[in-house]
PDB file of all heavy atoms in Angstrom:
ATOM      1  N   ALA A 374     -68.607 -16.591  31.230  1.00 90.00           N
ATOM      2  CA  ALA A 374     -67.472 -16.683  30.307  1.00 90.00           C
ATOM      3  C   ALA A 374     -66.566 -17.842  30.683  1.00 90.00           C
ATOM      4  O   ALA A 374     -66.110 -18.589  29.812  1.00 90.00           O
ATOM      5  CB  ALA A 374     -66.685 -15.375  30.328  1.00 90.00           C
ATOM      6  N   ILE A 375     -66.303 -18.018  31.976  1.00 90.00           N
ATOM      7  CA  ILE A 375     -65.439 -19.127  32.407  1.00 90.00           C
ATOM      8  C   ILE A 375     -66.090 -20.457  32.051  1.00 90.00           C
ATOM      9  O   ILE A 375     -65.453 -21.359  31.496  1.00 90.00           O
ATOM     10  CB  ILE A 375     -65.177 -19.060  33.923  1.00 90.00           C
ATOM     11  CG1 ILE A 375     -64.421 -17.785  34.292  1.00 90.00           C
ATOM     12  CG2 ILE A 375     -64.369 -20.268  34.383  1.00 90.00           C
ATOM     13  CD1 ILE A 375     -64.328 -17.555  35.782  1.00 90.00           C
ATOM     14  N   LEU A 376     -67.392 -20.571  32.351  1.00 88.00           N
ATOM     15  CA  LEU A 376     -68.092 -21.827  32.072  1.00 88.00           C
ATOM     16  C   LEU A 376     -68.133 -22.119  30.575  1.00 88.00           C
ATOM     17  O   LEU A 376     -67.918 -23.247  30.140  1.00 88.00           O
ATOM     18  CB  LEU A 376     -69.513 -21.772  32.634  1.00 88.00           C
ATOM     19  CG  LEU A 376     -69.636 -21.789  34.158  1.00 88.00           C
ATOM     20  CD1 LEU A 376     -71.067 -21.543  34.570  1.00 88.00           C
ATOM     21  CD2 LEU A 376     -69.148 -23.098  34.731  1.00 88.00           C
ATOM     22  N   GLY A 377     -68.371 -21.063  29.773  1.00 88.00           N
ATOM     23  CA  GLY A 377     -68.431 -21.256  28.324  1.00 88.00           C
ATOM     24  C   GLY A 377     -67.095 -21.672  27.745  1.00 88.00           C
ATOM     25  O   GLY A 377     -67.009 -22.595  26.938  1.00 88.00           O
ATOM     26  N   ALA A 378     -66.019 -20.997  28.183  1.00 88.00           N
ATOM     27  CA  ALA A 378     -64.681 -21.316  27.670  1.00 88.00           C
ATOM     28  C   ALA A 378     -64.281 -22.720  28.077  1.00 88.00           C
ATOM     29  O   ALA A 378     -63.721 -23.485  27.277  1.00 88.00           O
ATOM     30  CB  ALA A 378     -63.673 -20.296  28.201  1.00 88.00           C
ATOM     31  N   ALA A 379     -64.592 -23.094  29.335  1.00 86.00           N
ATOM     32  CA  ALA A 379     -64.205 -24.416  29.821  1.00 86.00           C
ATOM     33  C   ALA A 379     -64.969 -25.507  29.075  1.00 86.00           C
ATOM     34  O   ALA A 379     -64.407 -26.552  28.748  1.00 86.00           O
ATOM     35  CB  ALA A 379     -64.474 -24.506  31.321  1.00 86.00           C
ATOM     36  N   ASP A 380     -66.248 -25.255  28.795  1.00 84.00           N
ATOM     37  CA  ASP A 380     -67.049 -26.241  28.061  1.00 84.00           C
ATOM     38  C   ASP A 380     -66.455 -26.534  26.698  1.00 84.00           C
ATOM     39  O   ASP A 380     -66.360 -27.674  26.270  1.00 84.00           O
ATOM     40  CB  ASP A 380     -68.479 -25.716  27.882  1.00 84.00           C
ATOM     41  CG  ASP A 380     -69.400 -26.194  28.982  1.00 84.00           C
ATOM     42  OD1 ASP A 380     -68.895 -26.938  29.849  1.00 84.00           O
ATOM     43  OD2 ASP A 380     -70.579 -25.828  28.971  1.00 84.00           O
ATOM     44  N   ILE A 381     -66.042 -25.482  25.995  1.00 84.00           N
ATOM     45  CA  ILE A 381     -65.536 -25.657  24.637  1.00 84.00           C
ATOM     46  C   ILE A 381     -64.167 -26.340  24.652  1.00 84.00           C
ATOM     47  O   ILE A 381     -63.895 -27.248  23.882  1.00 84.00           O
ATOM     48  CB  ILE A 381     -65.464 -24.288  23.924  1.00 84.00           C
ATOM     49  CG1 ILE A 381     -66.868 -23.744  23.714  1.00 84.00           C
ATOM     50  CG2 ILE A 381     -64.729 -24.397  22.601  1.00 84.00           C
ATOM     51  CD1 ILE A 381     -66.907 -22.276  23.387  1.00 84.00           C
ATOM     52  N   LEU A 382     -63.298 -25.907  25.566  1.00 84.00           N
ATOM     53  CA  LEU A 382     -61.910 -26.376  25.516  1.00 84.00           C
ATOM     54  C   LEU A 382     -61.704 -27.739  26.156  1.00 84.00           C
ATOM     55  O   LEU A 382     -60.905 -28.540  25.674  1.00 84.00           O
ATOM     56  CB  LEU A 382     -61.016 -25.351  26.204  1.00 84.00           C
ATOM     57  CG  LEU A 382     -60.374 -24.362  25.250  1.00 84.00           C
ATOM     58  CD1 LEU A 382     -59.832 -23.188  26.001  1.00 84.00           C
ATOM     59  CD2 LEU A 382     -59.272 -25.021  24.456  1.00 84.00           C
ATOM     60  N   PHE A 383     -62.408 -27.994  27.269  1.00 84.00           N
ATOM     61  CA  PHE A 383     -62.063 -29.182  28.047  1.00 84.00           C
ATOM     62  C   PHE A 383     -62.896 -30.401  27.682  1.00 84.00           C
ATOM     63  O   PHE A 383     -62.560 -31.506  28.047  1.00 84.00           O
ATOM     64  CB  PHE A 383     -62.222 -28.891  29.545  1.00 84.00           C
ATOM     65  CG  PHE A 383     -61.357 -27.758  30.019  1.00 84.00           C
ATOM     66  CD1 PHE A 383     -61.679 -27.048  31.154  1.00 84.00           C
ATOM     67  CD2 PHE A 383     -60.207 -27.407  29.327  1.00 84.00           C
ATOM     68  CE1 PHE A 383     -60.892 -26.008  31.585  1.00 84.00           C
ATOM     69  CE2 PHE A 383     -59.413 -26.357  29.752  1.00 84.00           C
ATOM     70  CZ  PHE A 383     -59.753 -25.656  30.882  1.00 84.00           C
ATOM     71  N   LYS A 384     -64.003 -30.196  26.947  1.00 83.00           N
ATOM     72  CA  LYS A 384     -64.840 -31.346  26.576  1.00 83.00           C
ATOM     73  C   LYS A 384     -64.140 -32.126  25.465  1.00 83.00           C
ATOM     74  O   LYS A 384     -63.730 -31.535  24.455  1.00 83.00           O
ATOM     75  CB  LYS A 384     -66.210 -30.851  26.108  1.00 83.00           C
ATOM     76  CG  LYS A 384     -67.261 -31.915  26.220  1.00 83.00           C
ATOM     77  CD  LYS A 384     -68.553 -31.497  25.565  1.00 83.00           C
ATOM     78  CE  LYS A 384     -69.491 -32.682  25.587  1.00 83.00           C
ATOM     79  NZ  LYS A 384     -70.587 -32.532  24.641  1.00 83.00           N
ATOM     80  N   ASP A 385     -64.005 -33.441  25.667  1.00 83.00           N
ATOM     81  CA  ASP A 385     -63.346 -34.336  24.700  1.00 83.00           C
ATOM     82  C   ASP A 385     -61.951 -33.825  24.345  1.00 83.00           C
ATOM     83  O   ASP A 385     -61.544 -33.856  23.182  1.00 83.00           O
ATOM     84  CB  ASP A 385     -64.175 -34.486  23.411  1.00 83.00           C
ATOM     85  CG  ASP A 385     -65.562 -35.022  23.687  1.00 83.00           C
ATOM     86  OD1 ASP A 385     -65.718 -35.709  24.702  1.00 83.00           O
ATOM     87  OD2 ASP A 385     -66.473 -34.743  22.902  1.00 83.00           O
ATOM     88  N   TYR A 386     -61.212 -33.360  25.329  1.00 83.00           N
ATOM     89  CA  TYR A 386     -59.902 -32.760  25.068  1.00 83.00           C
ATOM     90  C   TYR A 386     -58.943 -33.747  24.417  1.00 83.00           C
ATOM     91  O   TYR A 386     -58.272 -33.429  23.437  1.00 83.00           O
ATOM     92  CB  TYR A 386     -59.316 -32.240  26.387  1.00 83.00           C
ATOM     93  CG  TYR A 386     -57.916 -31.731  26.256  1.00 83.00           C
ATOM     94  CD1 TYR A 386     -57.676 -30.517  25.626  1.00 83.00           C
ATOM     95  CD2 TYR A 386     -56.839 -32.467  26.732  1.00 83.00           C
ATOM     96  CE1 TYR A 386     -56.391 -30.051  25.485  1.00 83.00           C
ATOM     97  CE2 TYR A 386     -55.555 -32.001  26.599  1.00 83.00           C
ATOM     98  CZ  TYR A 386     -55.327 -30.791  25.982  1.00 83.00           C
ATOM     99  OH  TYR A 386     -54.058 -30.330  25.839  1.00 83.00           O
TER     100      TYR A 386
END
Side-chain angles (χ1 to χ4, degrees):
Chain A
I375 297 171
L376 290 172
D380 266 359
I381 293 164
L382 265 165
F383 301 157
K384 202 189 174 198
D385 302 334
Y386 174 74

